[in-house]
Amino acid sequence: MHWSFRLVRIFGIEIKIHVTFFLLLAWIGWLYHRTGGVPAAIDGVVFVLLIFGCVLLHELGHALAAAHFGIKTPDITLLPIGGVARLERMPEKPAQEIAVTLAGPAVNILIAAGLAVAIGLTTGFPDLQALQQPGLPMTVRLFWVNIWLVIFNAIPAFPMDGGRLLRALLAMRMNYARATQIAANIGHGIAFLFFIVGLWASPMLILIAVFVYFGASSEALMAQVRSISKDLRVSSAMVTQFQALPLAATLNEAVEALLRTSQHEFPVTDHDGQVRGILTRDDMIAALRKSGAATPVAEVMRTDIPSVPQSMLFDRAFALMQQCSCPALPVLDSLGRLVGLFTPENVGEMIMVQSALGARGRDRGPAAA
Ligand SMILES: [Zn+2]
């Protein structure tokens, strides 16, 4: 996740916060300040911070349940739209996935129950009309936030917990890829419905529709890649015929290589053969326009692209490529030498080849598969 700050480490999990989150805080502060001055602004900001505290506890619920099954969670990122716990992998067994998925909303139910007891013991619940009025106690507002988090996550569409739950339930009766495909189709249907209703009712619903649509699409693609590439390694599907550029090269040489080959990304290596960066076609053209052909490639190349070992599983490398939105990943052998490039075209071609083989297998029976 780009533009995120590290906040703290809890149970070995890096808690990060996205920079746009601070914009949200500032905006809420300003909005409340306009209506009620400094006290209202403080109240608004504290309320938002507490909401995100509840979201963080929800994500920690997922992470701790995953840890129970031996799955690590490297980080949790808090975004203005909610939290994302990045699990190292998803549990293989549907029953485990169900447990990990339910653990998040279960935390919110616990918090809501605790708040309900506290409210009952102190002020008592306000009646429903009073909910519309300003100046509700913080406990009451937080109670409703947690109920809302449970309801929102019950929507059976990725990336909400309801979508995962639906997929896990389907996966008990069919294979994982098919279960994901059906769950993603349902997600697309729900996104469409939200969009239509949102046009009449609220722009917020349209935003959620877009969020759900892309969530469903990316989950379906990921599951497809996982199912076709089972046990495949990066080495079996990388580009091995490629041109690298020396660190001392200029954009002039890079342009020559661009015109001579069909490559769009060029690994840049030092004199020991170690990869120092990747020069993309877009960066090359932008730099040509700005600073001319004599510019060294070292000044233009991207240095934030991770290398992967050739023994890495295909779907892991694909997930990594998506996470960093990298145009290509350099592939290294066990001695750290550059032996290939892993590109989105490799993934696309692999999907085509494997689904052709799969279709052949289905048509002619298992012997042909
Ligand atoms: Zn969740």
Side-chain angles (χ1 to χ4, degrees):
M1 207 60 78
H2 300 294
W3 293 97
S4 304
F5 294 96
R6 286 180 191 173
L7 206 62
V8 276
R9 237 182 135 79
I10 308 173
F11 306 117
I13 304 165
E14 201 88 66
I15 309 297
K16 297 178 182 175
I17 205 152
H18 198 262
V19 66
T20 48
F21 178 79
F22 296 103
L23 293 179
L24 176 77
L25 276 187
W27 183 63
I28 294 286
W30 177 75
L31 215 62
Y32 276 61
H33 187 268
R34 275 197 340 171
T35 55
V38 175
I42 292 173
D43 181 76
V45 168
V46 168
F47 183 46
V48 172
L49 287 176
L50 285 172
I51 291 176
F52 276 84
C54 295
V55 171
L56 177 59
L57 290 172
H58 171 114
E59 299 303 331
L60 280 173
H62 289 307
L64 292 188
H68 181 74
F69 299 117
I71 300 167
K72 286 195 195 114
T73 306
D75 54 58
I76 291 174
T77 306
L78 294 177
L79 300 155
I81 46 166
V84 180
R86 194 164 60 86
L87 269 56
E88 197 180 47
R89 60 184 169 84
M90 279 316 277
E92 311 268 296
K93 294 192 188 109
Q96 294 184 350
E97 187 170 6
I98 290 173
V100 171
T101 304
L102 287 179
V107 171
N108 298 112
I109 291 174
L110 280 179
I111 298 173
L115 285 170
V117 170
I119 295 163
L121 289 178
T122 54
T123 54
F125 263 97
D127 53 33
L128 280 173
Q129 277 93 9
L131 284 179
Q132 301 296 328
Q133 282 147 27
L136 274 181
M138 192 70 89
T139 43
V140 176
R141 281 186 279 164
L142 273 181
F143 170 82
W144 287 111
V145 161
N146 280 281
I147 297 294
W148 163 247
L149 280 173
V150 174
I151 294 172
F152 183 66
N153 272 297
I155 299 171
F158 298 115
M160 266 75 81
D161 292 330
R164 292 188 189 289
L165 198 61
L166 174 66
R167 193 247 314 268
L169 290 173
L170 290 168
M172 289 178 143
R173 309 178 135 256
M174 59 189 81
N175 75 47
Y176 192 79
R178 176 129 186 79
T180 307
Q181 195 54 56
I182 293 177
N185 288 347
I186 293 174
H188 282 153
I190 290 174
F192 187 68
L193 205 73
F194 279 12
F195 187 82
I196 297 294
V197 176
L199 285 177
W200 303 101
S202 102
M204 187 65 192
L205 212 52
I206 296 179
L207 200 73
I208 296 174
V210 173
F211 183 60
V212 166
Y213 188 86
F214 286 107
S217 302
S218 92
E219 192 71 32
L221 177 64
M222 199 63 232
Q224 197 185 9
V225 169
R226 198 182 310 171
S227 78
I228 56 149
S229 67
K230 249 188 190 331
D231 307 326
L232 270 183
R233 306 280 159 177
V234 168
S235 56
S236 59
M238 63 187 184
V239 178
T240 52
Q241 309 246 324
F242 61 90
Q243 168 95 52
L245 295 168
L247 197 56
T250 61
L251 281 183
N252 206 6
E253 292 161 62
V255 168
E256 271 174 31
L258 179 72
L259 296 175
R260 198 174 54 236
T261 65
S262 58
Q263 250 171 278
H264 294 164
E265 291 84 25
F266 296 87
V268 179
T269 53
D270 62 16
H271 49 260
D272 294 327
Q274 302 284 322
V275 182
R276 302 289 290 272
I278 296 261
L279 182 66
T280 67
R281 184 174 62 175
D282 292 349
D283 289 344
M284 203 188 293
I285 301 299
L288 268 180
R289 195 168 289 150
K290 225 174 89 188
S291 38
T295 314
V297 294
E299 284 176 19
V300 184
M301 66 189 188
R302 279 183 64 173
T303 52
D304 58 340
I305 294 177
S307 302
V308 295
Q310 60 178 349
S311 58
M312 186 183 246
L313 283 171
F314 188 91
D315 62 333
R316 289 270 173 98
F318 176 64
L320 190 67
M321 189 156 68
Q322 287 219 309
Q323 260 165 36
C324 68
S325 40
C326 296
L329 301 177
V331 183
L332 309 181
D333 68 7
S334 55
L335 297 172
R337 290 173 305 205
L338 178 65
V339 288
L341 277 181
F342 186 68
T343 70
E345 286 83 52
N346 290 140
V347 179
E349 282 158 6
M350 181 59 94
I351 290 176
M352 282 191 256
V353 170
Q354 294 290 338
S355 35
L357 287 175
R360 199 175 122 89
R362 276 196 302 279
D363 293 345
R364 303 196 183 171

